[in-house]
Amino acid sequence: MEESLDIIINTFHKYSVRRGDRDTLNRKKFKQFMIEEMPKSFKKEEEKEKIINDMMKEVDTNYDGQVDFNEFVALIGNILKTKHEESHENASSSVHGQGSSNGPNL
C-alpha cells in the first residue's frame, strides 16, 4: 500500500508545475495526465476533449484553473470508488465477500 501511495504522489509531481510554493496541474498538464495515465477513461477518441474539460471543471473546486494536490487526491478517491463499484458489478455473487482479484479480503 505504501508503494502505491508513493506512486500516486510521484505521478502528480511528474505532471505538476511549480508555481510559488505550491505544485499544481494546469489545464495542459491535467490533459496530459489524463491521456497518458488514464487512457481507458476514453471510450471514443472524439469524446476525449469534452471528458477532460468536464473533469477539470469538476475537480477544480476552488475555480482557480489549476488542480492542486488536494483536488488531485479527491480525483483519485473518486476514481477508486468507481473502480471499486465496477469490481462488484463484474464479480459473481459466489466470489463476492471472499476476496477478489484486486487484493485480499480486508
Side-chain angles (χ1 to χ4, degrees), residues 37-101:
E37 303 293 335
M38 305 291 298
K40 294 180 183 175
S41 297
F42 312 108
K43 292 179 174 96
K44 297 180 181 175
E45 185 66 27
E46 60 271 9
E47 294 177 347
K48 186 183 303 185
E49 197 70 34
K50 181 183 180 339
I51 291 170
I52 291 172
N53 287 335
D54 289 349
M55 287 186 77
M56 179 77 179
K57 287 177 190 174
E58 186 177 328
V59 171
D60 182 17
T61 57
N62 65 0
Y63 310 108
D64 65 353
Q66 309 283 321
V67 175
D68 63 29
F69 188 71
N70 289 334
E71 293 166 330
F72 182 78
V73 168
L75 170 68
I76 299 302
N78 287 334
I79 292 168
L80 283 170
K81 289 175 193 174
T82 299
K83 291 290 188 183
H84 179 248
E85 290 168 8
E86 288 173 359
S87 74
H88 286 281
E89 291 170 6
N90 296 330
S92 69
S93 59
S94 63
V95 174
H96 185 33
Q98 299 176 13
S100 71
S101 61

